[in-house]
Amino acid sequence: MNFTKMHGAGNDFVVINTGNTKRDWTKLAITICDRHRGIGADSLLLLLPSKKADFTMRTFDADGSEAETCGNGLRCLARYALEKGVVRPDTKEISIETLTRIVRVKFEERNGEVIKFWANMGLPEFGAENIPVNIKAGKGKVADTQSMINYTVTVDKMVLELNLVSMGNPHAVYFCQDSVAEFPLSRIGSLVENLPIFPTRINFEIARVLSRQ
């Protein structure tokens, strides 16, 4: 099996052009992404044919679960397609089908060389149904299910006000008052990710506003 190892902003992938090959991709992702006994990666990216776009991307994370989409993965797959001749060398923009939406990726050139790949992830979606969020499974109070901002959850005795959004895949953003480096991300992150209110799990990010200027 031929593969290419790539990364976008440190988010690393094993990329495979599958054609119409049928395999147990979940099992392969677990094996191939293992950093001790496999190649090692955050995710396995698959390039497949598409009837709606230039091609399809499927993303299987290291635990074998399939992700809806991945911004860094889209940029890597676009570069892969260009360098491997999947698209013409004079291509300026391509469309990639994911599980949730079709994403357009633009190629930025400088002096005749492609130096950047820009993925247009589309508009953010804030509604509970679109993220998705199972309100009935949680204890937080929701004033407006169309804007899941400042939704309160308690995780391991820590109260968090989460800002929930979908960019084709679900995200929960928590704004820290203190240093981001001091936040117990490795402990709290997986607990938030697997809360029952998130039927497809969720990507958990933390941030701190340093200045409003």
Side-chain angles (χ1 to χ4, degrees), residues 140-200:
K141 295 181 179 180
V142 181
D144 181 7
T145 58
Q146 296 306 308
S147 179
M148 297 298 295
I149 303 299
N150 295 332
Y151 180 76
T152 303
V153 300
T154 301
V155 178
D156 198 18
K157 299 181 180 180
M158 180 178 288
V159 178
L160 305 173
E161 284 193 349
L162 302 180
N163 299 278
L164 308 178
V165 61
S166 172
M167 291 301 300
N169 58 343
H171 293 264
V173 183
Y174 172 66
F175 288 97
C176 303
Q177 299 301 314
D178 301 315
S179 170
V180 168
E182 296 177 2
F183 186 87
L185 184 59
S186 60
R187 175 169 59 88
I188 299 299
S190 62
L191 297 176
V192 174
E193 176 190 6
N194 292 285
L195 285 171
I197 60 173
F198 304 126
T200 60

Side-chain angles (χ1 to χ4, degrees), residues 89-114:
D90 58 350
T91 299
K92 305 298 183 184
E93 182 177 336
I94 59 173
S95 58
I96 303 176
E97 181 182 356
T98 69
L99 287 182
T100 53
R101 59 179 67 174
I102 293 176
V103 177
R104 303 201 69 82
V105 181
K106 292 184 177 181
F107 301 176
E108 180 181 329
E109 287 189 5
R110 181 181 298 167
N111 299 324
E113 179 183 0
V114 178

